[in-house]
Amino acid sequence: MGTDEEQDHARQRFDVADAAPLLLDAQGVVTSWTRDARRLLDYTASEVVGTPVVGLLAAEDAARVPELAERCRRDGGWAGLLTARHKDGHQVRVMVRITPAVGPGGGAHWLVLLSDMGGARGWDMSRAVLEQMVTGSPIGIAVVDANLRCVWSNEALERFGGGSPGERLGRRLAEIQPGIDSEGIETQMRRVLETGQPVVGYEHVGHVRSAPRRETAHMMSFTRLDDDHGHPMGVYYTVVDITERHRARQRLALLDRAGEQIGRSLDIARTAQELADVAVPGCADFVCVDLLEWVLRGAEPPNGPLSPTEAVPLRRAGHQSVNPGVLEAVVEIGAPATYLPGSPPIRCLATGLSWREERLDPLAREWATDLPGDRTATFLELGLHTVMVVPIRARGVTLGVTMFFRRRRQEPFDEDDLSLAEDLVSRAAVCVDNARRYTRERNAALVLQRSLLPHRLPDQDAVEVAACYRPADELTGLGGDWYDLIPLSGARVALVVGEVPGHGIDAAAAMGRLRTAVRTLAAQDLPPEEVLAHLDDLVARTGREEGGDPEGVDVQVAGSGCVYVIYDPVDGQCTMAAAGHPAPAVVLPDGSVSFVDLPQGPPLGVGGRPFEAVELALAAGSTLVLHTDGLLAREDDDRPVDADRDRLRRALERSAPSLDLRCRAVVDALIPDRPDDDVALLMAHTRLLGADQVADWDLPADPAVVADARKEATRQLTEWGLEELAFTTELVVSELVTNAIRHAEGPIRLRLIKERALICEVSDGGATAPHLRHPRTTDEGGRGLLLVSQFTQRWGTRFMPEGKVIWAEQSLTDPPA
């Protein structure tokens, strides 16, 4: 490459290390001139030394010298673009960097570095824009040499601490930012120096000097800088603060993990421990979960509110720490946890509101009292410096408190941390309450085994029902077969028949647990296939936890069968799914009998293919026949299933004065007085609600439609003779429709059903369930569902493939609340 080509190539780069130096005294007079400076501007030393530097600049930039001198004295230097005058008169565009220096006599001098920018790309842009890009960019930018020492940085890096650009010169990253992983970052730089391949989007988490107590995240990119001969001479890198994005990502990951790990069993203490395990270390360094005594017993909440000035009986249900052995805990798991009256845990229990303290008094005593021995300690001794206390609330009832502390992480809890903690606790609270309800039902089942089978099925208008149960164990009158009818929202009902292997008390106890679990799952308004899937998981877990046979499967529960049917009297639709259980029969109004073509899922607890549901429309006056295997007891094991179905068909085709008599007649015709297997038969004669009992409207997503919806609802109540419910119904319609317009998507539909209760339903295309909030007196909103819950008998949400339905019921037999 010739000399001219080399000069042209040199103009294409911006290289601080190759700049032409010169020296100025404090008054801006040139005191030293180098060969590089002469090569750049063509002046000899004798022509320049002793003259003011302004003589080397174009008139426009010469006028800026006083201003730049003041900035140099104030900021300790300056960097930017100027235009110099070449000896032959043409202008030379240069990048200038001015730094303080000490002259030969010890006086103050300025070292000026000049780089030719005449051929650099982008020079045609305005000089002010280029200066902003280099020195005023909001993104932190720096250049390090081949030894990874800083040779240039912009002012944006000062936001992260570590000093001004002048203070960074010649220093390694560990000296500039000792709180970050400088070794990991420099490893990336060396890799770029060695390979020449840039690194983009490298994420780093640590503590910078500008926020030493707060963990921050940064995204960095590295690019190698080469000289004219392609030899690496340094690395150019950028820094962007992505702390908020990083924290949001961590929060979502933690909530996902909570959804997977909390509530995997119906054990209250285990669920509490799962909450503590999930929250450490992602949310806190030490977490303890304390539940009220009655919760752990599976009892109902006592009457009356809790007092913030009285001791409350709590028990430690779970805790976890970043330190092995949970050194911070002064209360052992399972031990009573008594707190000082008026202390934050007691106040949160009484008020149901969370509490956060950024800095605990290090000399204050831990709030727990009445500990065995002398185990009290100050927060300083425990190493705890910030706290959040979140009440565990589910379905409007406080079940306990969860306390979050930090020990290793120095930053205090902020509002985002409190919001995350409340999300975690709210998810766990539902699981704890479900486990409490399950515990209550299971305990009742073990004590009152005979009462597990319903003596009287609930009153409702969807179906007329009759049931017959005949146990194989004549001594106890108990067995593993069972049936149930469960009222659901929207006037629907769930019909359930199931069986547990075996006979007698053990089978009845196992049956009781399944029936209780089905009722708990039915309360969540799940489709039949999802109810069976959850029931299948429960049976498998129960077998492993209680330890049945050597393979860990409870022989009394695993292999159980169940069929779950949902019937809707509004449109006559019937949805069902089965787990190792005979498909129902249907007796049509004309008396003909058929069997539902229902895909058979595996028995509960043994694993296998997913459960499938089928849907069919039933005419009013049809009869659904659900039964257990015992009804088709085979005298000859080699006889085909169709033969047993023919026997059942003939029995169902016989008429009877009533459904109860018909039910008993079928059992008597097919089963001996002392059967070899338990038998349960449930017959449901379907009804359809009249067209005058249902009214619905499609609504546009426009706030103005709320008033119209209220008017239509009031008009319909007048037609039904329910004017006394107009006020509460208008309130319910207004709140539910408003919520759907504000927070949901897709088509909105309002439906009123007059049955034993007045049912108000609002459906939309959203998939997010609403949450009952308790707003402060100063809040302007947030009271909608609270009012709905206070003015109606019950309310809830059910999900559908196309969205969700929020419903509320008002009793037509009792005066409105």
Side-chain angles (χ1 to χ4, degrees), residues 157-310:
L157 275 180
E158 291 189 55
R159 294 197 314 268
F160 307 109
S164 65
E167 293 172 320
R168 292 171 177 268
L169 285 177
R171 300 171 69 190
R172 294 275 292 272
L173 197 54
E175 302 172 76
I176 299 171
Q177 293 286 4
I180 66 175
D181 180 18
S182 56
E183 183 176 346
I185 296 174
E186 288 188 347
T187 298
Q188 299 298 320
M189 293 181 181
R190 292 190 183 93
R191 184 177 302 157
V192 171
L193 281 172
E194 293 172 2
T195 66
Q197 296 295 322
V199 173
V200 179
Y202 174 77
E203 293 190 14
H204 168 269
V205 179
H207 295 80
V208 296
R209 282 186 165 177
S210 59
R213 291 186 175 180
R214 181 173 179 264
E215 189 177 70
T216 54
H218 306 98
M219 181 177 290
M220 307 178 72
S221 296
F222 308 91
T223 305
R224 190 173 79 178
L225 298 175
D226 296 339
D227 62 17
D228 294 342
H229 306 291
H231 298 145
M233 54 183 298
V235 173
Y236 162 88
Y237 68 89
T238 60
V239 184
V240 179
D241 190 333
I242 59 167
T243 301
E244 294 307 317
R245 189 199 317 173
H246 174 75
R247 295 188 70 183
R249 194 165 57 208
Q250 282 187 315
R251 172 175 179 155
L252 288 175
L254 185 59
L255 292 176
D256 285 344
R257 192 160 64 251
E260 296 174 356
Q261 298 183 11
I262 298 177
R264 293 177 294 181
S265 72
L266 287 175
D267 183 271
I268 299 172
R270 182 172 300 179
T271 303
Q273 184 60 49
E274 287 168 350
L275 168 60
D277 292 341
V278 166
V280 176
C283 183
D285 296 335
F286 168 55
V287 173
C288 54
V289 183
D290 296 328
L291 297 178
L292 292 162
E293 291 274 7
W294 60 265
V295 175
L296 288 166
R297 294 196 307 268
E300 286 296 298
N303 295 326
L306 296 171
S307 172
T309 60
E310 298 179 1

